[in-house]
Amino acid sequence: MPVNHNVYKQLIADFEKNNSQLVAVTKYRSIEDVNALYNYGQRKMGENKVQEILRKAPLLPENIEWHMIGHLQKNKVSKLLPFVNMIHSVDSLELLLEIEKQAAKIHKDISILLQVHISDEEQKYGFDLTSFENVFFDIEKLNLKYSKIVGLMGMASFTDDQSKIREEFKSLKHLYDQLSKNNSSLNVLSMGMSGDYQLAIESGSNMVRIGSLLFE
Ligand SMILES: *Cc1c(COP(=O)(O)O)cnc(C)c1O
């Protein structure tokens, strides 16, 4: 499944207009496909499995920025850290503390997005939306040294109901605006995938994670 260059160019042009960034999701894709994206200029690549980052990173150019976007288990943090630039899916305090501990061991700064649960689907991970402000204040007080908390991530429900998706994205945007008023390091809002990225951008996303749409 080759990369669709026209779609890629169009997306990049749209995102530039909106000051948002594309994370190209390369899960299930071959090394050749990732290389094709790289040659078009794409540098941020997203994967949802630790194994895939460990397999692909050594075979591809070093200046690719790997983004971990899937659920991360604590026992895989130490293996993943040397290869990854940003983790979008930090969904518990325990996981965050494990990342901090392992990052300290290798003296590596790591960009973190805290994942917030905004959909009505139980299986999706993330911090509870309604109690998140307090959790966030507690996390700020930890003054973590290596884990740089730069933003929030959320996934909308899998539904055709556009207004529901928009509401979910807006709820996270609202939270993000509230928190970033008092915290200048928060500047990434990761929302939107192939099926709902337009709604996400309209709702204030500035980082979109797109996979299937990029491939023919
Ligand atoms: C797979 C995945 C995406 C991209 O999904 P597409 O529908 O292929 O664009 C985005 N975010 C996460 C967390 C994913 O696992």
Side-chain angles (χ1 to χ4, degrees), residues 72-78 92 94-95 98 102:
L72 176 57
Q73 287 169 293
K74 275 197 298 181
N75 61 3
K76 298 202 173 142
V77 169
S78 63
S92 73
E94 294 73 32
L95 176 60
E98 179 65 14
Q102 298 300 335

Side-chain angles (χ1 to χ4, degrees), residues 25 27-29 48 69-70 153 155 192-195 209-213:
V25 177
K27 65 186 188 201
Y28 319 132
R29 308 296 165 185
N48 68 340
I69 61 173
M153 185 273 240
M155 295 171 83
M193 317 179 13
S194 292
R209 311 172 310 272
I210 293 189
S212 37
L213 196 61

Side-chain angles (χ1 to χ4, degrees), residues 27 57 60 63 77 80 91 120 124 127-128 135 148 164 180 184 190 205:
K27 65 186 188 201
L60 284 153
N63 61 344
V77 169
L80 174 68
D91 57 4
D120 62 7
K124 283 189 180 159
F127 287 99
D128 177 57
V135 172
K148 309 291 182 196
K164 180 172 170 60
S180 47
S184 59
S190 169
S205 166

Side-chain angles (χ1 to χ4, degrees), residues 77-114:
V77 169
S78 63
K79 272 195 226 139
L80 174 68
L81 269 187
F83 298 96
V84 80
N85 294 75
M86 188 183 280
I87 304 175
H88 290 228
S89 42
V90 176
D91 57 4
S92 73
L93 191 56
E94 294 73 32
L95 176 60
L96 180 61
L97 293 175
E98 179 65 14
I99 292 169
E100 178 68 12
K101 181 172 143 196
Q102 298 300 335
K105 282 192 195 162
I106 59 171
H107 303 285
K108 176 173 173 158
D109 285 352
I110 174 84
S111 296
I112 301 282
L113 304 182
L114 299 172

